[in-house]
Amino acid sequence: MLGNGIIKGLAETARNFFGSYVDKERLTTVQFPEERLPQIEGTRDFPFLVYDGDDWEKGLRCVSCHICEKECPPKCIFIEKSKDKKPDAVGKLQFYPVRFDIDVSVCMSCQICVEVCPFDAIKMDVEFELSSDDRFGGLLHHKDKLAKSNEYYHKIHPTEAAAVDAALAEDREKEKEKQKQAAAAAAAAAAAKAAAAANPPPAAETNTDASSKEETK
Amino acid sequence: MTLSFLLLAAIAILGAAAAMNLKNAVHCVLALTLGMAGLAALYLQLGAQFVGLTQLLVYVGAVAILAVFAIMLTRSRTGETVAHGSASSRISGALTALLVFAVLAWAIFTGISPQQLSGAQPEASVREVGVALMQRFVLPLEIIGVLLTAALIGAGVLAIEEKGGDR
Amino acid sequence: MPEMIDQIFVLLKHWIMGYVPSGLQPLCSAILSVLPVLVVFPLLFAITTVLERKGLGRMQNRYGPNRAGPWGILQPVADGVKSLTKEDVVPRSADQLVHLMAPILIVIASFLVYSVVPVGRNMVVADLNAGVLFFFAIGSMVELAVFMAGWSSRSKYSLLGAMRAIAQMISYEMPMVLSGVVAIMAAGSLSTVTIVNMQAGYTGIWPHWYLFTPWGITGYILFMIAATAESNRCPFDMPEGESEIIAGYFIEYSGFKFALFFVAEYLGMMASSAMAITLFLGGWAAPFSFLTWIPSWFWFFAKLILMLMVFIWIRGTLPRLRMDQLMNFGWKFMLPLSLINILSAGLWHYLPSGFTRWSVISLLLLLSCFLLSRSLRRNKWFQERTYRFAS
């Protein structure tokens, strides 16, 4: 008979219609601004700059090496390198970005800047409500807006941040080791120098050794 | 000669005139439809509801649509300009128009003038039209019905044969 | 007292007319009759849009619009403001005058139809002698407007949409008229007011609606299917099939002109529903004799909203038909069945009333419906479909 399927379909939609008023489980819609789904740890949206410590201007890990700027496929990063050096979080003298801008409207959230950064200075954020009523200024994020603390990083991506911190700590340990060794070597050299000052000829020998090596090259 | 009559007559005449003079075929059909609608409104104004509404239903609803369909299906490019006729066709057209005018004028002058129609005018209600069609004019109605059915079936047969032409 | 509430709008009009100088009375009377139509039905349109969106949402287990105002009831206001403030873009190669005229004509036609719809006892704008004919005549003007819109836009999608729309409207206009004819036959009049008055009586508590006869319910169902097709609603919305030809004949319209097409579509749907109510559901008559104390206009609008809900329900359920299915259904099922329905309505008139009449006519209609649906599916027995990837 013509119309069986129609009646079945009408029954189904009627069931949905009344069911959606009775059974809240049916309504899968998350009413966004008020309700939000919990973010999974893998959420990534837009890069930010990590800083250590409390003062974002002092603690920025970025040394403005321009690698991310060069690697960025849509070229949304603009960096201006400083002329002078400032001590970073561990006290080492480094260049720092005078200007670090990312254009929201150009960024495609590819995470390549994060992958290429050798200093773990730029990471992906989970913030996605980046729209602005200012077409030009509002979409260009400066470094004051981009800088976010390491604690924040730990909050949004705990596993990854812990790994990064461990790696950084190891690096710093190595650095310290190196520095210690260098210091020891320097001390040794100084001692040697002091010793050489006492009897000069061997020092001159080493000098000639070095020059002769260059000549052979 | 009330204002509404003048207005509706102007619409009907303008529509007809535009249908003859416009360049674009579809515009011509639309103008013709306007003329038909004006005519229907004139019927309605005269109190002939059935005739007026049938005019609207048939000419605006069916004939105009048929005409635009014909234009769309026969022309490769829609809205092509119509070539206006040569001198000979103009003369023959003028002659036809004159002839039609003469016949209409004769009919009007020999017919009953409104002044002679005094007293109770026949009320041409829908019911009476229906009764007349079903009793006095039932044979012509049936013959027209048979004719139209035959035309419809013929059209269908033609269309079907064209579809399966490879047999 | 119930009579007074029933006639409150009529009395109001008479009361206002009492203050109008006699020279202006015809004009003023016309304005007072037309103005409510121009206010009430657009308002109903606004309500329908929000009902439709919320209802469709619920049928798909969504909330539907719920942001503008409490429960989203101000959504039509937001839509109206949006469409009014949008830019009106007209294609450069469009036929400017025809392009402008099409939405105007379609809205005029949609509003004109309401002049013969009796919305309550003594409440009709114009009690025409040939009211039903007027409805169909004006309804056929919509086709012309659709063609004008599609042709003047100079877009292949809109032209395709217009062709589809006209083909569909012509095919379904005939079953629509023929299925309405049974009510005209039973009432013996083309006047909508008379048709409703004929149905306003009661036997016991049951009303004399034409719906409660075998030919009445057949005619009603046929009329509703044809009306759905006439107003280009789902499942007959091929003229505007979004997935195929984007929006059909009004694709090149933007801003308020687009809104006018939208208004016209809904007004057309409401007009068809109103006509179905007038012809088969007893117009403003109450469904039971003990409910006659509720004003007649309430019953009319209650029925109208119920019908609109049915339209929405159907839209939420059925997928779009294919063009050949549509044509086959229209010409091979609807048209013969409406002709048989006319025959059975004639037989009903001459058979003695009682159980035999009921059973004979019902059997005739059911049998023809069965046979026609068989012939519609002849050589087309669908294979049992297997869904390989469904659970």
Side-chain angles (χ1 to χ4, degrees):
Chain A
M1 190 68 193
L2 203 65
N4 275 347
I6 295 174
I7 291 165
K8 262 188 225 164
L10 287 174
E12 182 61 36
T13 41
R15 201 157 46 238
N16 276 349
F17 182 81
F18 293 111
S20 68
Y21 283 101
V22 180
D23 180 10
K24 289 287 165 203
E25 287 290 297
R26 280 172 173 272
L27 294 163
T28 51
T29 314
V30 177
Q31 307 215 47
F32 167 63
E34 295 91 34
E35 299 171 19
R36 279 151 197 266
L37 288 174
Q39 270 166 335
I40 55 167
E41 212 192 316
T43 313
R44 268 131 182 77
D45 197 74
F46 186 69
F48 72 101
L49 296 174
V50 189
Y51 67 85
D52 294 311
D54 299 322
D55 186 1
W56 70 268
E57 276 191 297
K58 276 187 195 158
L60 274 185
R61 287 179 187 172
C62 179
V63 298
S64 76
C65 64
H66 290 280
I67 292 179
C68 53
E69 187 184 28
K70 280 171 195 148
E71 290 289 335
C72 179
K75 300 281 175 247
C76 67
I77 304 178
F78 310 97
I79 303 174
E80 199 179 304
K81 197 173 183 174
S82 62
K83 297 277 189 293
D84 57 331
K85 287 187 173 184
K86 273 189 188 172
D88 67 355
V90 284
K92 196 175 166 188
L93 281 180
Q94 296 277 23
F95 289 108
Y96 60 93
V98 177
R99 217 179 125 93
F100 195 110
D101 298 343
I102 301 182
D103 195 337
V104 179
S105 57
V106 178
C107 177
M108 61 183 199
S109 311
C110 64
Q111 213 187 331
I112 286 176
C113 51
V114 175
E115 278 158 22
V116 298
C117 184
F119 301 95
D120 287 311
I122 188 163
K123 291 291 167 197
M124 291 304 272
D125 202 351
V126 293
E127 184 62 46
F128 55 89
E129 286 160 86
L130 300 166
S131 51
S132 155
D133 50 7
D134 179 7
R135 240 173 99 184
F136 302 103
L139 293 175
L140 192 68
H141 284 200
H142 300 297
K143 67 174 177 177
D144 57 332
K145 208 169 175 186
L146 291 169
K148 279 166 186 171
S149 69
N150 198 20
E151 283 76 52
Y152 174 76
Y153 182 38
H154 270 280
K155 209 174 80 193
I156 57 171
H157 298 139
T159 323
E160 190 190 277
V164 166
D165 268 13
L168 272 181
E170 202 178 310
D171 281 356
R172 277 172 193 165
E173 207 61 33
K174 272 184 192 164
E175 191 80 358
K176 265 184 194 164
E177 204 91 322
K178 244 188 214 169
Q179 276 176 1
K180 245 183 221 169
Q181 277 176 2
K193 244 183 201 172
N199 46 344
E205 260 174 42
T206 51
N207 274 349
T208 48
D209 264 358
S211 55
S212 64
K213 259 181 198 167
E214 267 171 34
E215 276 164 31
T216 51
K217 268 183 189 173
Chain B
M1 286 283 185
T2 57
L3 184 69
S4 59
F5 171 78
L6 286 176
L7 216 66
L8 293 174
I11 288 175
I13 291 171
L14 276 178
M20 287 189 292
N21 289 314
L22 286 176
K23 292 268 181 289
N24 192 317
V26 175
H27 284 171
C28 291
V29 174
L30 292 177
L32 188 68
T33 315
L34 182 72
M36 296 295 187
L39 219 55
L42 273 179
Y43 289 140
L44 287 178
Q45 196 220 2
L46 290 172
Q49 278 183 10
F50 185 77
V51 182
L53 292 174
T54 310
Q55 167 95 3
L56 209 60
L57 188 64
V58 171
Y59 282 95
V60 178
V63 172
I65 297 293
L66 200 69
V68 291
F69 243 82
I71 290 169
M72 305 265 262
L73 292 179
T74 49
R75 276 162 195 278
S76 52
R77 267 173 291 159
T78 55
E80 230 172 70
T81 52
V82 197
H84 279 276
S86 55
S88 61
S89 72
R90 270 164 198 266
I91 291 166
S92 63
L95 275 177
T96 316
L98 256 175
L99 218 66
V100 171
F101 182 77
V103 169
L104 283 178
W106 173 79
I108 288 168
F109 282 116
T110 55
I112 313 158
S113 71
Q115 280 79 24
Q116 286 168 304
L117 269 179
S118 54
Q121 292 189 4
E123 181 75 17
S125 74
V126 181
R127 174 178 288 275
E128 273 157 48
V129 172
V131 166
L133 277 179
M134 277 297 144
Q135 289 175 352
R136 194 172 154 204
F137 300 106
V138 70
L139 195 64
L141 184 76
E142 288 299 316
I143 290 170
I144 290 171
V146 169
L147 181 72
L148 288 178
T149 313
L152 193 67
I153 292 170
V157 166
L158 282 177
I160 288 166
E161 277 213 337
E162 198 180 329
K163 198 178 164 192
D166 54 335
R167 269 184 297 170
Chain C
M1 194 61 195
E3 273 102 70
M4 193 167 151
I5 296 172
D6 186 22
Q7 295 297 305
I8 188 159
F9 297 110
V10 181
L11 293 175
L12 197 68
K13 186 186 160 188
H14 283 304
W15 180 72
I16 294 172
M17 291 297 287
Y19 292 93
V20 175
S22 59
L24 286 174
Q25 269 196 355
L27 184 72
C28 200
S29 165
I31 289 172
L32 282 178
S33 300
V34 170
L35 206 63
V37 169
L38 292 184
V39 173
V40 169
F41 285 99
L43 205 69
L44 201 62
F45 154 70
I47 295 168
T48 313
T49 53
V50 92
L51 265 184
E52 166 147 41
R53 293 175 63 178
K54 288 200 82 82
L56 285 182
R58 288 288 174 170
M59 283 172 200
Q60 296 157 4
N61 291 326
R62 294 184 286 112
Y63 285 102
N66 60 355
R67 296 280 144 176
W71 306 292
I73 52 170
L74 293 181
Q75 189 65 37
V77 181
D79 288 343
V81 170
K82 179 193 150 205
S83 62
L84 272 173
T85 50
K86 271 184 123 175
E87 188 190 355
D88 178 31
V89 183
V90 180
R92 195 191 300 156
S93 63
D95 202 312
Q96 305 289 333
L97 183 67
V98 182
H99 192 265
L100 173 70
M101 288 299 291
I104 299 174
L105 183 65
I106 201 167
V107 165
I108 288 177
S110 305
F111 270 118
L112 268 181
V113 166
Y114 289 102
S115 58
V116 292
V117 174
V119 296
R121 194 177 279 125
N122 304 330
M123 285 162 72
V124 63
V125 176
D127 177 15
L128 290 186
N129 221 334
V132 182
L133 195 64
F134 177 84
F135 175 82
F136 292 121
I138 299 297
S140 67
M141 268 166 67
V142 173
E143 286 162 34
L144 201 68
V146 164
F147 167 78
M148 281 161 72
W151 177 79
S152 66
S153 301
R154 289 288 161 86
S155 152
K156 33 175 132 37
Y157 293 117
S158 59
L159 195 61
L160 267 175
M163 294 292 254
R164 285 183 180 194
I166 294 170
Q168 174 180 326
M169 282 174 158
I170 288 179
S171 305
Y172 278 80
E173 193 161 292
M174 219 164 325
M176 191 173 177
V177 176
L178 289 177
S179 56
V181 162
V182 289
I184 298 166
M185 281 165 69
S189 171
L190 272 173
S191 155
T192 49
V193 176
T194 316
I195 291 173
V196 173
N197 282 337
M198 294 287 286
Q199 298 179 67
Y202 297 92
T203 310
I205 59 162
W206 303 105
H208 290 170
W209 296 359
Y210 294 142
L211 183 73
F212 302 127
T213 52
W215 49 266
I217 190 148
T218 316
Y220 172 72
I221 292 169
L222 288 174
F223 191 91
M224 286 308 287
I225 295 172
T228 320
E230 281 283 293
S231 51
N232 296 333
R233 295 266 309 175
C234 241
F236 301 104
D237 62 345
M238 254 153 314
E240 50 198 84
E242 295 86 350
S243 49
E244 304 152 29
I245 47 172
I246 316 175
Y249 51 89
F250 51 78
I251 183 179
E252 298 293 350
Y253 285 89
S254 53
F256 203 65
K257 287 188 198 159
F258 177 81
L260 285 183
F261 276 104
F262 204 64
V263 170
E265 186 190 323
Y266 277 82
L267 284 179
M269 179 173 93
M270 283 191 274
S272 303
S273 308
M275 196 37 77
I277 290 167
T278 305
L279 291 177
F280 298 104
L281 291 181
W284 42 258
F288 299 108
S289 61
F290 53 83
L291 287 176
T292 41
W293 56 273
I294 297 176
S296 55
W297 39 268
F298 170 81
W299 284 118
F300 178 81
F301 285 105
K303 285 174 194 171
L304 189 55
I305 286 178
L306 203 71
M307 299 276 291
L308 294 176
M309 283 175 173
V310 171
F311 268 116
I312 294 167
W313 188 10
I314 286 170
R315 179 174 172 186
T317 305
L318 298 180
R320 187 178 301 145
L321 265 76
R322 235 172 30 225
M323 200 71 196
D324 62 323
Q325 292 172 331
L326 176 106
M327 286 297 156
N328 277 343
F329 186 65
W331 289 102
K332 294 186 185 165
F333 182 80
M334 300 268 292
L335 190 65
L337 193 60
S338 54
L339 286 172
I340 292 168
N341 196 32
I342 290 176
L343 181 72
S344 60
L347 281 177
W348 176 273
H349 186 73
Y350 290 107
L351 286 175
S353 64
F355 179 72
T356 29
R357 178 164 87 161
W358 256 93
S359 49
V360 165
I361 301 295
S362 306
L363 207 67
L364 173 69
L365 284 170
L366 277 177
L367 194 71
S368 52
C369 182
F370 177 72
L371 288 176
L372 283 171
S373 65
R374 274 284 295 262
S375 74
L376 198 65
R377 296 206 293 192
R378 195 174 47 206
N379 307 329
K380 260 189 237 163
W381 288 106
F382 301 115
Q383 290 174 342
E384 192 66 34
R385 237 185 241 186
T386 49
Y387 296 96
R388 264 198 297 162
F389 301 112
S391 58

